[in-house]
Amino acid sequence: MKTTESIENYLETILVLSQKNPAVRAIDIVDKLGFKKSSVSVAMKHLRELKYITVSKEGYITFTEDGKKIAEMIFERHKIISRFLMNLGVDEKIAVEDACRIEHVISKESFEALKTHILNETPSI
């Protein structure tokens, strides 16, 4: 299924938060992204309907298998593209911002070529 940039951003944010916190709730996403609670609530409902996440009675967000796969794919793209741009001499802040945009539009073929190049050049990623 084709996802939107917004969906991918929410899933990536949940993944990043889950790596730092034992549990993720909608309020954590509000704090991280600076969005209104109502906007995040609508987005979480949409992600549940798409079966990318589940939300417990207590409000804890958990990935489904499909949701986690998408989140990990976007996060990997973000890391690789950021590293590539920084290796070219782009300031880290700009590289991260640009990677946030590029990660959603780059083709699978181009990303795999970029990934292979970066990993062969700097195996520590």
Side-chain angles (χ1 to χ4, degrees):
M1 168 183 251
K2 180 85 171 112
T3 59
T4 66
E5 183 175 337
S6 177
I7 288 170
E8 291 172 352
N9 279 334
Y10 275 109
L11 292 173
E12 182 181 19
T13 299
I14 294 166
L15 179 66
V16 169
L17 288 169
S18 72
Q19 292 172 344
K20 297 176 182 175
N21 305 324
V24 178
R25 296 171 302 142
I27 192 65
D28 301 320
I29 298 166
V30 168
D31 293 342
K32 174 81 172 166
L33 298 178
F35 294 166
K36 293 180 181 178
K37 288 180 187 179
S38 58
S39 297
V40 172
S41 179
V42 168
M44 294 305 102
K45 180 179 184 230
H46 187 58
L47 292 176
R48 282 193 317 272
E49 290 169 350
L50 291 170
K51 300 194 183 330
Y52 291 146
I53 64 167
T54 60
V55 181
S56 72
K57 290 178 188 176
E58 298 81 16
Y60 298 120
I61 299 167
T62 307
F63 284 117
T64 63
E65 188 175 323
D66 288 343
K68 187 163 187 173
K69 214 160 53 170
I70 294 167
E72 289 174 340
M73 181 228 7
I74 293 299
F75 188 59
E76 177 186 42
R77 286 179 175 203
H78 181 85
K79 291 188 307 186
I80 295 288
I81 295 167
S82 296
R83 177 58 53 105
F84 176 71
L85 294 171
M86 287 185 284
N87 286 351
L88 292 175
V90 176
D91 176 76
E92 181 178 0
K93 183 176 187 284
I94 293 169
V96 168
E97 289 171 1
D98 287 347
C100 281
R101 291 188 291 278
I102 296 168
E103 68 195 24
H104 304 286
V105 297
I106 192 169
S107 70
K108 184 175 181 170
E109 181 180 354
S110 292
F111 176 72
E112 288 302 322
L114 181 63
K115 178 180 168 181
T116 298
H117 175 77
I118 289 296
L119 292 179
N120 287 336
E121 188 175 279
T122 55
S124 64
I125 293 180

